[in-house]
Amino acid sequence: MELKSNEDGVSLIKRLPINEMSLQIKENFPPLINIRVEGYLPDSRTSFHRVRQQREGNLVVVELTTRRPRNEFCAEVITEISKSIQLKGNFAIGQDYTLIINDKETNFSL
């Protein structure tokens, strides 16, 4: 799924394909939530682009994107990629949360 082109129209921005994600809760006050995402780059010209986080109440949305030059041919070589991300914001003990990473959803409780 193509999200958009960059400002000059030279690159395609897409969501990182995700194979697996895991959650680690560090018992600090307030608790710290780290996620680890395992995904892949689908060809030799695609690179990791960026991580965006958004939170509304108990819903946390994380988007990981890739960048690829538009209209360039390249070798279809899959490269595995792993990212560790600390979720921003304060998380309250005794609350339930929904985490969406690209199109994958999971729930967690503190």
Side-chain angles (χ1 to χ4, degrees):
M1 167 192 275
E2 182 179 324
L3 296 177
K4 62 178 182 174
S5 295
N6 66 345
E7 295 77 29
D8 59 8
V10 174
S11 297
L12 294 175
I13 307 299
K14 295 185 178 184
R15 286 191 176 99
L16 176 73
I18 296 175
N19 295 328
E20 188 176 321
M21 61 184 190
S22 59
L23 192 72
Q24 179 186 24
I25 301 169
K26 293 187 177 183
E27 295 183 19
N28 292 2
F29 187 78
L32 298 176
I33 313 297
N34 291 319
I35 55 174
R36 183 161 190 83
V37 177
E38 306 288 334
Y40 64 91
L41 303 173
D43 57 57
S44 62
R45 298 289 292 157
T46 299
S47 60
F48 182 77
H49 180 234
R50 72 175 159 198
V51 175
R52 285 189 191 175
Q53 291 186 44
Q54 186 175 12
R55 181 169 170 194
E56 191 171 307
N58 289 8
L59 174 64
V60 182
V61 178
V62 178
E63 182 181 68
L64 292 89
T65 55
T66 62
R67 179 188 305 237
R68 181 187 187 285
R70 183 183 289 280
N71 300 326
E72 284 191 24
F73 294 101
C74 58
E76 291 186 23
V77 178
I78 291 177
T79 303
E80 293 182 6
I81 185 171
S82 178
K83 291 289 178 187
S84 294
I85 303 153
Q86 183 173 328
L87 297 182
K88 296 176 184 174
N90 292 328
F91 293 88
I93 295 173
Q95 294 289 311
D96 297 325
Y97 295 91
T98 299
L99 172 63
I100 299 173
I101 303 174
N102 289 356
D103 294 323
K104 297 192 181 288
E105 182 176 321
T106 189
N107 296 302
F108 66 95
S109 300
L110 298 178

